[in-house]
Amino acid sequence: MDISINKSPRQGAVLFSPYLRGEGIQKALEIGRENILFEIRESKLKGRGGAGFPTATKWMLVAASVAKEKFIVCNADEGEPGTFKDRVLLLEYPELVFDGIVIAGYTIGAKEGIIYLRGEYEYMLQSLEDYLSKMREDNLLGNSILGQEGFDFDISIRLGSGAYVCGEETALIESLEGNRGEARNRPPYPVNTGYMNRPTVVNNVETLASVPHILLKGGEWFKKYGTDKSTGSKLFSVSGDCTRPGVYELPWGTKISELLEIVGGENAKAVQVGGASGSCIPRSQFDRTLAYEDAATGGSIIIFDKNRSMLKVLKNFMEFFVEESCGQCTPCRIGNVKLLEGIKDIERRNYTFSYINKLKDLGRTMQVASKCGLGQSSPNAFISILENFKEEIFNYNGFGGTNGK
Amino acid sequence: MESSKDNLRAPVSQKPHVIEKPKDTSGIGGMITVEINEKKITVPLGTTILEACNDNQIHIPTLCHHSDLCIAGVCRICVVEVEGMRTLQAACAFPITAPLKIKTSTPMVRKARRHILDLMLSEHYGECYSCFRNQNCELQALAKEYGVDEYTFGHVNTPRYEVDRSSASVIRDMNKCILCKRCVRTCIDLQEVGVLEAINRGHETHIGTFLDKPLADVICINCGQCINRCPTSALRANDPSDEIWAAIDDPTKHVVIQTAPSPRAGIGEEFGLEPGHSLTGEMNTALRRIGFDRVFDTNFTADLTIMEEGTELLNRLKKVIVDKDTTVKLPQFTSCSPGWVKFIEHFYPEYLDYLSTAKSPQQMFGAVIKTFYAQETGIDPKDIVSVALMPCSAKKFECNRPEMRDSGFKDVDYGLTTRELAKMIKEAGIYLPEMPKSHFDEPFGDASGAGLIFGATGGVMEAALRTVYELVTGREVPFTNLNIEPCRGFDGIKQASVLLENCKDEYSFLEGVEVKFIVAHGTANAKKVMELLRKGLLSDVHFVEIMACPGGCIGGGGQPIPTSEEIRKKRAEAIYAEDESLTLRKSHENPHVQYIYEKFLTEGPCSHKSHELLHTHYTKRGRFIA
Ligand SMILES: Cc1cc2nc3c(=O)[nH]c(=O)nc-3n(C[C@H](O)[C@H](O)[C@H](O)COP(=O)(O)O)c2cc1C
Ligand code: SF4
Ligand code: SF4
Ligand code: SF4
Ligand code: SF4
């Protein structure tokens, strides 16, 4: 799968629109906490990390709590297969991400921001550190930022070590605290008992990067893009069988077919929206829209053309989950193995429909009974691919598809 | 005193990230009314759904939950429906902070639980009929409760892991493990030893030791607390009953058994009795019927321990107060809990001089049986097989220590746990509660109540004070009925003092001394005490009792499963009640103890001979594993 980044000058209405470093922070300090929260709420910005939780609500909960310390954590773990848009933001638009973190810190009353950087992104560590040093030089970090008495704030970068589950916010916090990367019980939520048991906001890179623009241009402006329930625009990491893979900024509400046209993926037979934990959309449903209320995604779009064996695609996803489950809870630890075994049975043509149906049923239990989002979403692909590609998978001639690629 | 839960260590993921219950629930929002299965129930804020259900006769199945441990929420068997939430919620982990509508038995819930069980069973190697937890297994019980009659998702028929039999005390068979992590939370959070942890992730996850080394090679203190909390047979004690049967069946062997105080207070549970029934006399009869040649009471050597350890304390006090000897260490720490001894050897090896050199009652008895008893009865010690019935798994390790051969033989041949004896009794076709009662055998027929209360946390201290106070002042300890209440109860760390006044002439150096003592149980509390010692904050304390297991020996790693604070309290009550019913309640008044000092240890306590047989030394093990 080619996931190289589209190097052409980026175009986009919101994130990729012009921005000068520090502008957002300046504005934030001018208008004050309440107005920041007001603008963000107006914008109806929702989390870009996948879950789509309203950002203003999260910030307000932490801003309103009384605690000795609070933290803002930027989730740059970017582990969902087929996602590489946070990498683009960090490399090419660090001013947006870092200003967003500073603004968040200011709003919630944190003194410390932490970026949890995907282990594989270690190569960008030095340039990010250099960038932070420059911010400190220019008093965009440090004490009394931009002359604002009492606003002391700094950002540190911490490296993950390659576990997908550590992108889940509570596992991320465990990892930050030096423990096994395992999701916590919720409630209590991180906004209440987060990093070091203090109120903590965890936000995706892209969520934070949207904030400076919203403050500068207003929530109303932001809402002009997207749909009523999914405001603004979204970065999509497009990979797979298309001629122009890469990162695209498109308004929410874009139809899958429209996106395919833009990226040169008109020959697709299926699109995996939302990565391994998302769902697989067949050609017949390409008029569905990319939006929280329809086909939701943290940004991953993987395109499959007619040469792909959907069974192999599915097997690939399930192998990923078997590998990446943290292993603490029963449905996910063992359930994923059973689903994968079921796929292998199909591959060997040694299955009964009644057993496959039992596995789908098991998948539905995993969706509701697993402890964290990983196990809750890992059966999505299994259920949606077996549902939507019945013909291909169960009537296949050999290896599915035409040439078994 | 703060509870052991205040000082949790890693894995913090298992830490109770709970919502604190308000101290005063009368304020606004202090109590919350929820609807469970359409019934309105009012609970304090922060109560978990499980707690609310338990208090209202609504049964929720659990596996990873344990009342002694912090919340994990990993097995997912306790899931329930909460209105408005997309997913099911783990009842054990979900704190009630808002008026919820909860349903505990919907089709979705039942199906999820059944699926979870099916998944566990699919990976669970082994069959119940060849399993030591048969009929006392939480997984098996749930399989029955949910009507599992087939292996929906298959069943493994080859083991994945090698059984670790390296330890003298604990056997680990991870093929039976369901990854509830109770052992991890026990070892790390409850005991703060930190031997067990989950290794790897996903399907490769298993419970292991440092670098997956054999248990014998790591810092395990053999306390067996993990066994007592394991819901399955993944953890069990190293059972010597086959060897013991063989000895019993061998006519050339003279098989004697000493029985510690705690097993008699717990063994009834193995026969379906409620906790808190002592079966001392019944057990004596059963032991004889099984075929033991002599049945002795470890309380006898508990009394002997008091004489030795009490004298040692008085000697230390004299050396410090009169001789100003700065090499002598105070406070003196008790040494009768082998789990604690190994703990200090690993974690605080630089403080071994603080430990009393007195052997534990088990090992004193072992040494006495193969010397004094052999001599008195004319039996060749090499023909004696000495068994110790103990509530403890660490005793199995202790009797195998190389230094425990002062009789010229292995002083104690086998440590047998309460559970293992119950099994032997059942195997012999005996229903214990219906046995006629009988007494212990001579020449150690009587023991004092002081020896008996060794079984509960604080018991050694109480027994020692009854004797030391009287030796020093010539009067009984000034507590009603000899019950030294400050030693009793289940607070993690207890602290009190007794003033010595009008001392006898030979103890005039103790006149006006306020003897300060500390009692701690569970090694997490021991660690707190040791940290105080390290900081120099125990310089005015004279005597410290430490038991490795929560509750003391009555909560030992060989006692009946399940365990909980409530059960341990009932066992302790049984012991204290039996003590009060006895006329002989002070160690130094035990006529058999007096007899052995007259006939055998003629130079008295802490003399040369008693040092040879009844005292020991320790090993600086340290924490680092080769
Ligand atoms: C298994 C799993 C992996 C996740 N990985 C990421 C990730 O790599 N990056 C991310 O921003 N959010 C990830 N999330 C979502 C986070 O838990 C969390 O919802 C998000 O960081 C919140 O930020 P937002 O509100 O700005 O989206 C993941 C969730 C799950 C369940
Ligand atoms: S769902 Fe999977 S990743 Fe999440 S806690 Fe359970 S085992 Fe771990
Ligand atoms: S551990 Fe329990 S379920 Fe497993 S074989 Fe033993 S009794 Fe049966
Ligand atoms: S016996 Fe005690 S120290 Fe050893 S693993 Fe079990 S709980 Fe830990
Ligand atoms: S060994 Fe026992 S207590 Fe430990 S995780 Fe396995 S089943 Fe649970």
Side-chain angles (χ1 to χ4, degrees):
Chain A
M1 240 176 256
D2 181 11
I3 52 162
S4 67
I5 298 174
N6 182 356
K7 294 282 182 219
S8 61
R10 300 191 184 279
Q11 288 166 5
V14 179
L15 286 159
F16 294 158
S17 68
Y19 176 78
L20 281 178
R21 187 180 71 136
E23 265 184 310
I25 302 178
Q26 185 76 49
K27 181 72 184 272
L29 296 178
E30 275 165 33
I31 65 175
R33 292 187 173 85
E34 275 172 30
N35 288 321
I36 301 173
L37 287 171
F38 177 81
E39 279 310 331
I40 309 259
R41 199 179 56 201
E42 268 304 292
S43 76
K44 296 210 219 157
L45 174 67
K46 287 188 192 168
R48 281 2 187 185
F53 191 81
T55 306
T57 311
K58 201 185 267 189
W59 288 22
M60 262 182 242
L61 285 168
V62 175
S65 64
V66 189
K68 259 194 275 179
E69 286 168 298
K70 300 175 187 179
F71 296 97
I72 162 80
V73 175
C74 171
N75 187 343
D77 195 50
E78 190 152 64
E80 187 66 56
T83 321
F84 40 92
K85 44 107 189 164
D86 292 344
R87 176 171 84 195
V88 168
L89 286 173
L90 288 164
L91 280 175
E92 299 173 29
Y93 300 85
E95 63 277 11
L96 283 178
V97 182
F98 290 125
D99 287 6
I101 298 175
V102 175
I103 295 166
Y106 173 67
T107 313
I108 63 172
K111 293 211 174 327
E112 205 182 323
I114 302 167
I115 299 185
Y116 187 86
L117 189 65
R118 179 186 165 99
E120 290 86 338
Y121 290 173
E122 192 178 354
Y123 68 89
M124 55 172 92
L125 188 61
Q126 194 51 51
S127 68
L128 293 177
E129 291 285 7
D130 292 346
Y131 190 88
L132 287 175
S133 305
K134 277 210 317 257
M135 282 180 80
R136 286 184 197 109
E137 272 166 34
D138 299 339
N139 194 218
L140 292 170
L141 286 176
N143 290 341
S144 306
I145 290 171
L146 295 182
Q148 180 89 1
E149 210 42 55
F151 178 40
D152 307 337
F153 185 82
D154 211 325
I155 297 176
S156 59
I157 305 176
R158 306 272 288 273
L159 273 181
S161 39
Y164 168 56
V165 70
C166 287
E168 196 282 335
E169 55 188 6
T170 60
L172 185 154
I173 290 170
E174 284 298 312
S175 168
L176 279 181
E177 291 180 1
N179 302 316
R180 267 175 78 83
E182 292 184 343
R184 292 177 176 176
N185 291 303
R186 303 182 306 167
Y189 297 95
V191 289
N192 179 311
T193 312
Y195 180 56
M196 303 306 227
N197 286 342
R198 303 279 190 227
T200 302
V201 166
V202 181
N203 270 141
N204 173 253
V205 171
E206 187 184 345
T207 314
L208 290 163
S210 309
V211 166
H213 283 299
I214 294 173
L215 290 199
L216 288 176
K217 296 170 208 155
E220 281 299 330
W221 165 82
F222 188 78
K223 269 195 297 198
K224 285 199 309 209
Y225 304 95
T227 71
D228 188 34
K229 287 200 173 115
S230 312
T231 56
S233 66
K234 178 81 189 83
L235 299 189
F236 295 99
S237 322
V238 183
S239 62
D241 301 321
C242 60
T243 52
R244 293 178 293 278
V247 174
Y248 292 84
E249 178 176 358
L250 299 171
W252 279 119
T254 302
K255 282 192 179 145
I256 294 173
S257 54
E258 290 168 351
L259 179 132
L260 288 172
E261 226 165 274
I262 296 170
V263 305
E266 294 92 335
N267 288 330
K269 77 170 168 195
V271 176
Q272 179 76 16
V273 178
S277 43
S279 56
C280 192
I281 299 189
R283 194 170 185 95
S284 59
Q285 296 175 23
F286 280 179
D287 58 345
R288 285 177 64 182
T289 57
L290 297 163
Y292 291 110
E293 64 274 23
D294 190 355
T297 170
S300 169
I301 304 280
I302 308 174
I303 300 169
F304 304 114
D305 71 14
K306 60 181 190 330
N307 293 325
R308 298 277 167 187
S309 152
M310 292 315 285
L311 192 62
K312 276 198 179 166
V313 166
L314 175 56
K315 187 178 171 193
N316 207 309
F317 286 149
M318 291 319 301
E319 280 168 348
F320 172 78
F321 288 120
V322 167
E323 167 96 19
E324 292 296 336
S325 157
C326 82
Q328 69 170 319
C329 77
T330 320
C332 170
R333 179 183 66 246
I334 313 178
N336 281 312
V337 174
K338 297 296 163 193
L339 300 190
L340 178 61
E341 281 169 4
I343 295 164
K344 289 180 181 166
D345 287 347
I346 301 174
E347 227 175 29
R348 283 195 297 267
R349 300 237 199 188
N350 179 18
Y351 62 93
T352 61
F353 279 110
S354 94
Y355 187 62
I356 299 301
N357 285 335
K358 275 187 190 159
L359 288 179
K360 280 195 211 157
D361 218 22
L362 172 65
R364 283 184 279 272
T365 288
M366 291 163 65
Q367 287 174 327
V368 292
S370 294
K371 183 165 174 174
C372 86
L374 191 152
Q376 287 162 9
S377 55
S378 62
N380 293 355
F382 186 88
I383 293 172
S384 66
I385 291 182
L386 289 188
E387 247 349 284
N388 293 330
F389 299 91
K390 273 198 225 86
E391 309 277 299
E392 176 190 322
I393 288 174
F394 295 107
N395 300 327
Y396 66 174
N397 47 357
F399 297 96
T402 48
N403 63 2
K405 190 167 154 191
Chain B
M1 202 55 69
E2 43 177 7
S3 78
S4 63
K5 295 214 171 133
D6 297 342
N7 180 25
L8 291 178
R9 305 182 340 174
V12 190
S13 49
Q14 305 290 339
K15 219 176 184 179
H17 292 278
V18 288
I19 290 177
E20 291 287 323
K21 286 181 202 161
K23 291 213 170 60
D24 173 17
T25 52
S26 62
I28 296 172
M31 299 293 286
I32 300 211
T33 300
V34 291
E35 241 178 58
I36 306 184
N37 300 343
E38 274 149 31
K39 184 177 158 215
K40 282 204 162 50
I41 291 169
T42 303
V43 295
L45 179 90
T47 305
T48 63
I49 294 177
L50 178 67
E51 288 167 333
C53 290
N54 282 348
D55 293 345
N56 288 279
Q57 295 77 47
I58 299 166
H59 173 66
I60 307 264
T62 54
L63 270 173
C64 70
H65 181 78
H66 193 285
S67 60
D68 287 333
L69 305 173
C70 56
I71 292 165
V74 296
C75 75
R76 314 305 287 175
I77 198 80
C78 69
V79 285
V80 296
E81 263 186 64
V82 176
E83 196 178 279
M85 301 199 80
R86 187 178 55 83
T87 55
L88 300 176
Q89 300 299 319
C92 70
F94 196 100
I96 294 170
T97 56
L100 309 169
K101 283 191 183 152
I102 299 155
K103 294 222 165 85
T104 67
S105 177
T106 64
M108 203 206 281
V109 165
R110 285 192 302 269
K111 178 170 274 180
R113 289 182 186 162
R114 178 67 196 267
H115 272 143
I116 289 165
L117 275 171
D118 283 336
L119 289 177
M120 282 179 182
L121 293 175
S122 77
E123 304 248 294
H124 189 74
Y125 172 73
E127 304 294 346
C128 299
Y129 43 75
S130 59
C131 181
F132 104 99
R133 290 294 292 270
N134 195 0
Q135 311 263 315
N136 181 19
C137 169
E138 294 178 46
L139 181 61
Q140 188 189 43
L142 279 180
K144 182 167 179 218
E145 198 173 309
Y146 282 83
V148 174
D149 52 2
E150 60 165 346
Y151 295 125
T152 312
F153 301 114
H155 186 58
V156 285
N157 39 30
T158 41
R160 265 177 96 184
Y161 304 101
E162 202 180 316
V163 179
D164 177 359
R165 300 177 190 275
S166 64
S167 159
S169 298
V170 183
I171 295 179
R172 299 172 60 244
D173 179 1
M174 290 305 106
N175 298 301
K176 295 250 174 28
C177 174
I178 55 166
L179 284 169
C180 68
K181 289 201 191 173
R182 282 189 190 172
C183 56
V184 173
R185 283 172 285 152
T186 301
C187 196
I188 296 187
D189 296 336
L190 187 73
Q191 290 292 69
E192 294 199 15
V193 179
V195 168
L196 302 173
E197 179 47 301
I199 297 181
N200 292 344
R201 67 177 188 214
H203 194 234
E204 298 305 310
T205 311
H206 64 275
I207 306 297
T209 58
F210 177 66
L211 297 178
D212 264 331
K213 285 182 178 274
L215 199 59
D217 296 349
V218 296
I219 53 169
C220 170
I221 64 166
N222 304 308
C223 66
Q225 291 303 307
C226 51
I227 302 177
N228 287 11
R229 288 170 185 78
C230 179
T232 70
S233 73
L235 298 171
R236 62 180 196 266
N238 203 339
D239 182 355
S241 52
D242 285 345
E243 288 89 333
I244 295 172
W245 279 125
I248 288 174
D249 295 339
D250 181 345
T252 66
K253 295 291 178 202
H254 181 75
V255 188
V256 304
I257 185 164
Q258 54 163 313
T259 73
S262 295
R264 62 193 75 159
I267 196 163
E269 294 160 39
E270 293 282 341
F271 292 86
L273 303 189
E274 285 292 307
H277 286 275
S278 248
L279 294 178
T280 316
E282 292 85 342
M283 201 169 74
N284 288 344
T285 311
L287 286 168
R288 289 194 188 90
R289 291 205 185 169
I290 286 179
F292 285 99
D293 295 305
R294 291 288 181 278
V295 181
F296 298 135
D297 190 351
T298 308
N299 299 353
F300 161 73
T301 34
D303 286 336
L304 203 56
T305 301
I306 290 301
M307 298 306 292
E308 295 291 331
E309 204 165 340
T311 308
E312 182 185 356
L313 177 65
L314 290 172
N315 290 347
R316 285 194 194 212
L317 286 168
K318 181 152 189 243
K319 283 187 190 143
V320 169
I321 296 171
V322 181
D323 310 340
K324 311 276 180 230
D325 184 344
T326 50
T327 63
V328 171
K329 304 291 189 224
L330 280 177
Q332 176 177 310
F333 282 71
T334 58
S335 58
C336 39
S337 161
W340 151 241
V341 168
K342 192 147 185 272
F343 183 84
I344 186 172
E345 286 178 334
H346 280 303
F347 289 88
Y348 297 93
E350 63 277 31
Y351 292 98
L352 288 176
D353 290 346
Y354 289 80
L355 269 189
S356 162
T357 57
K359 282 183 187 169
S360 69
Q362 161 176 296
Q363 291 307 135
M364 284 199 186
F365 223 141
V368 165
I369 285 170
K370 293 200 181 174
T371 54
F372 175 65
Y373 172 76
Q375 202 176 302
E376 291 265 300
T377 54
I379 301 172
D380 187 341
K382 81 171 183 352
D383 292 331
I384 299 178
V385 174
S386 177
V387 180
L389 171 64
M390 292 287 144
C392 179
S393 51
K395 291 279 172 194
K396 295 172 188 284
F397 172 83
E398 186 185 31
C399 76
N400 281 306
R401 289 174 82 115
E403 58 271 29
M404 296 299 175
R405 309 179 72 97
D406 290 328
S407 63
F409 301 89
K410 195 177 168 198
D411 292 339
V412 170
D413 292 289
Y414 303 109
L416 184 71
T417 65
T418 313
R419 294 189 295 266
E420 290 151 3
L421 176 66
K423 192 193 72 184
M424 289 178 77
I425 292 177
K426 287 178 192 166
E427 217 174 331
I430 294 167
Y431 179 62
L432 182 66
E434 285 175 358
M435 280 290 102
K437 297 183 187 189
S438 62
H439 202 62
F440 292 99
D441 285 314
E442 296 300 337
F444 315 109
D446 290 299
S448 75
L452 182 69
I453 59 174
F454 262 56
T457 166
V460 178
M461 184 60 67
E462 181 164 348
L465 290 174
R466 285 183 194 171
T467 290
V468 169
Y469 189 91
E470 199 162 324
L471 288 182
V472 171
T473 66
R475 299 182 309 276
E476 285 194 339
V477 273
F479 288 90
T480 318
N481 236 345
L482 292 177
N483 296 342
I484 309 182
E485 290 298 336
C487 292
R488 301 189 179 186
F490 275 58
D491 285 348
I493 301 175
K494 291 164 283 193
Q495 195 167 2
S497 60
V498 182
L499 185 63
L500 298 175
E501 284 173 312
N502 303 324
C503 296
K504 293 205 263 185
D505 286 347
E506 65 262 46
Y507 293 111
S508 57
F509 64 93
L510 290 173
E511 186 62 41
V513 170
E514 197 179 346
V515 177
K516 284 201 179 163
F517 59 87
I518 288 177
V519 171
H521 59 121
T523 39
N525 291 314
K527 185 182 261 177
K528 285 184 196 155
V529 173
M530 291 309 290
E531 286 306 316
L532 294 176
L533 179 66
R534 202 202 279 286
K535 290 188 191 123
L537 297 174
L538 297 187
S539 53
D540 59 342
V541 178
H542 303 100
F543 198 19
V544 180
E545 177 204 297
I546 292 190
M547 293 293 152
C549 294
C553 307
I554 41 113
Q559 288 283 70
I561 299 170
T563 185
S564 69
E565 179 148 313
E566 201 183 324
I567 292 173
R568 296 191 292 274
K569 277 190 174 144
K570 289 201 178 127
R571 292 177 191 157
E573 279 162 21
I575 280 184
Y576 285 122
E578 200 171 329
D579 166 44
E580 267 206 276
S581 75
L582 295 174
T583 41
L584 178 59
R585 297 186 61 206
K586 299 173 214 156
S587 301
H588 56 282
E589 288 180 355
N590 182 340
H592 301 273
V593 167
Q594 290 164 354
Y595 179 75
I596 199 172
Y597 281 117
E598 267 163 38
K599 294 275 287 188
F600 186 60
L601 306 164
T602 45
E603 295 152 60
C606 292
S607 64
H608 180 69
K609 181 141 188 199
S610 81
H611 259 284
E612 236 169 45
L613 282 181
L614 306 184
H615 290 253
T616 185
H617 57 272
Y618 306 103
T619 311
K620 286 190 176 173
R621 293 178 198 272
R623 267 191 278 187
F624 300 100
I625 300 165

PDB file of all heavy atoms in Angstrom, chain B residues 101 172 183 227 389 458 473 531:
ATOM      1  N   LYS B 101     -30.427   4.182  35.151  1.00  0.00           N
ATOM      2  CA  LYS B 101     -31.317   3.029  35.063  1.00  0.00           C
ATOM      3  C   LYS B 101     -30.485   1.844  34.605  1.00  0.00           C
ATOM      4  O   LYS B 101     -29.895   1.873  33.530  1.00  0.00           O
ATOM      5  CB  LYS B 101     -32.434   3.294  34.055  1.00  0.00           C
ATOM      6  CG  LYS B 101     -33.505   4.196  34.615  1.00  0.00           C
ATOM      7  CD  LYS B 101     -34.720   4.224  33.728  1.00  0.00           C
ATOM      8  CE  LYS B 101     -35.720   5.200  34.330  1.00  0.00           C
ATOM      9  NZ  LYS B 101     -36.571   5.802  33.311  1.00  0.00           N
ATOM     10  N   ARG B 172       2.757 -23.058  39.584  1.00  0.00           N
ATOM     11  CA  ARG B 172       2.036 -22.205  38.644  1.00  0.00           C
ATOM     12  C   ARG B 172       1.757 -22.982  37.366  1.00  0.00           C
ATOM     13  O   ARG B 172       2.673 -23.435  36.698  1.00  0.00           O
ATOM     14  CB  ARG B 172       2.869 -20.960  38.312  1.00  0.00           C
ATOM     15  CG  ARG B 172       3.184 -20.096  39.510  1.00  0.00           C
ATOM     16  CD  ARG B 172       4.165 -18.985  39.163  1.00  0.00           C
ATOM     17  NE  ARG B 172       3.632 -18.121  38.131  1.00  0.00           N
ATOM     18  CZ  ARG B 172       4.156 -17.970  36.929  1.00  0.00           C
ATOM     19  NH1 ARG B 172       5.251 -18.619  36.588  1.00  0.00           N
ATOM     20  NH2 ARG B 172       3.609 -17.164  36.056  1.00  0.00           N
ATOM     21  N   CYS B 183      -3.872 -12.392  41.026  1.00  0.00           N
ATOM     22  CA  CYS B 183      -2.566 -12.697  41.625  1.00  0.00           C
ATOM     23  C   CYS B 183      -1.629 -11.506  41.484  1.00  0.00           C
ATOM     24  O   CYS B 183      -0.849 -11.211  42.381  1.00  0.00           O
ATOM     25  CB  CYS B 183      -1.970 -13.930  40.967  1.00  0.00           C
ATOM     26  SG  CYS B 183      -1.812 -13.780  39.182  1.00  0.00           S
ATOM     27  N   ILE B 227      -2.360 -17.619  45.655  1.00  0.00           N
ATOM     28  CA  ILE B 227      -3.130 -18.856  45.528  1.00  0.00           C
ATOM     29  C   ILE B 227      -4.538 -18.644  46.080  1.00  0.00           C
ATOM     30  O   ILE B 227      -5.532 -19.030  45.460  1.00  0.00           O
ATOM     31  CB  ILE B 227      -2.472 -20.008  46.326  1.00  0.00           C
ATOM     32  CG1 ILE B 227      -1.042 -20.258  45.869  1.00  0.00           C
ATOM     33  CG2 ILE B 227      -3.324 -21.271  46.248  1.00  0.00           C
ATOM     34  CD1 ILE B 227      -0.324 -21.330  46.679  1.00  0.00           C
ATOM     35  N   LEU B 389       1.289 -29.493  60.042  1.00  0.00           N
ATOM     36  CA  LEU B 389       0.051 -28.967  59.468  1.00  0.00           C
ATOM     37  C   LEU B 389       0.041 -27.467  59.684  1.00  0.00           C
ATOM     38  O   LEU B 389       0.035 -26.997  60.815  1.00  0.00           O
ATOM     39  CB  LEU B 389      -1.175 -29.598  60.136  1.00  0.00           C
ATOM     40  CG  LEU B 389      -2.497 -28.929  59.727  1.00  0.00           C
ATOM     41  CD1 LEU B 389      -2.771 -29.120  58.244  1.00  0.00           C
ATOM     42  CD2 LEU B 389      -3.651 -29.439  60.568  1.00  0.00           C
ATOM     43  N   GLY B 458      -1.156 -10.023  65.792  1.00  0.00           N
ATOM     44  CA  GLY B 458      -1.085  -9.481  67.149  1.00  0.00           C
ATOM     45  C   GLY B 458      -0.953 -10.554  68.209  1.00  0.00           C
ATOM     46  O   GLY B 458      -0.640 -10.258  69.362  1.00  0.00           O
ATOM     47  N   THR B 473       7.783  -8.346  86.261  1.00  0.00           N
ATOM     48  CA  THR B 473       7.150  -7.689  87.416  1.00  0.00           C
ATOM     49  C   THR B 473       6.611  -8.693  88.433  1.00  0.00           C
ATOM     50  O   THR B 473       6.270  -8.308  89.545  1.00  0.00           O
ATOM     51  CB  THR B 473       5.959  -6.815  86.965  1.00  0.00           C
ATOM     52  OG1 THR B 473       4.947  -7.680  86.437  1.00  0.00           O
ATOM     53  CG2 THR B 473       6.377  -5.817  85.903  1.00  0.00           C
ATOM     54  N   GLU B 531      10.251   1.034  56.502  1.00  0.00           N
ATOM     55  CA  GLU B 531      10.646   2.375  56.055  1.00  0.00           C
ATOM     56  C   GLU B 531      10.788   3.321  57.245  1.00  0.00           C
ATOM     57  O   GLU B 531      11.661   4.182  57.266  1.00  0.00           O
ATOM     58  CB  GLU B 531       9.649   2.930  55.029  1.00  0.00           C
ATOM     59  CG  GLU B 531       9.756   2.275  53.649  1.00  0.00           C
ATOM     60  CD  GLU B 531      11.167   2.320  53.054  1.00  0.00           C
ATOM     61  OE1 GLU B 531      11.814   3.385  53.138  1.00  0.00           O
ATOM     62  OE2 GLU B 531      11.635   1.281  52.537  1.00  0.00           O
TER      63      GLU B 531
END
